Each structure stands twice: as structure tokens, then as C-alpha cells.
Amino acid sequence: PKRNEWARNQTDDANHQLEDLFVSEKSRGAGVGKALFGELAAVAQANNCARMDWAVLKWNKPSIDFYEKSLGATPMSEWQGMRLEEDGIERLKRFRISN
């Protein structure tokens, strides 16, 4: 979206951010994932969310296929995941304004 659309969406619409959804291997193919997303959709709608976002590892092709084919989700090509681990977090302390 254009910048002004993005800013409007950030201030006017809630976002439902999904963190860590896992379906055990023995439960896959039984509709459990679809049922979980169905319940998440109800929560999102109850909270007037305009969208649901989640991340999936690029190598996790079965999950990506499920999200795209079964749920109709689209990849967010404009975002790049970023991370700092313990040593990186420690290095950030040098930027603190006060102790």
C-alpha cells in the first residue's frame, strides 16, 4: 500500500498478530489447523482487526502451502524479519541515554 494507506491502517485498524501456532504431526490433515484459524478469525473480528499477520520460516514449504492454498493467505514480500540474540542485545546498551 501507499504510505498514507499504511499510516491510516496502523492508526485506525487493529492488527491480530499470531505468534507460535503448532499442530502436531499426528493431527495434521484432520482439519485442526483450519479450526484453529477459524477461532482466531472470530477473535480478530470481535476486536475489529483489519488483518491477521504471522511469520513462517521460508523452508517450511508444507505450512506455506497450507496458508496459501487452504487459507488463502498471501506472503508479505515487503517485510524482512530481523533478530538480535543475546550478544546483540548486550551491544545495544551502548546506545542508552542513561544508566
Side-chain angles (χ1 to χ4, degrees):
K2 296 177 185 172
R3 181 169 167 74
N4 62 347
E5 291 172 330
W6 182 86
R8 180 175 34 86
N9 287 338
Q10 295 303 307
T11 57
D12 296 340
D13 300 321
N15 176 30
H16 194 74
Q17 178 70 38
L18 173 62
E19 184 79 26
D20 293 335
L21 177 70
F22 179 78
V23 175
S24 67
E25 199 165 330
K26 70 177 186 169
S27 297
R28 293 176 193 161
V32 173
K34 290 177 187 173
L36 288 169
F37 271 94
E39 294 302 317
L40 290 169
V43 171
Q45 287 181 325
N47 288 287
N48 297 317
C49 293
R51 65 182 185 277
M52 291 174 52
D53 295 333
W54 63 94
V56 59
L57 293 168
K58 291 179 181 182
W59 57 259
N60 195 343
K61 183 81 169 117
S63 292
I64 294 168
D65 288 345
F66 170 74
Y67 299 143
E68 290 180 345
K69 295 174 184 170
S70 295
L71 304 182
T74 55
M76 298 185 303
S77 60
E78 66 276 1
W79 290 92
Q80 171 69 43
M82 305 299 291
R83 170 179 292 154
L84 283 173
E85 295 193 6
E86 289 181 33
D87 59 337
I89 295 168
E90 180 66 27
R91 286 192 308 270
L92 291 179
K93 289 165 84 176
R94 69 179 184 230
F95 299 121
R96 292 187 66 201
I97 295 170
S98 65
N99 293 332

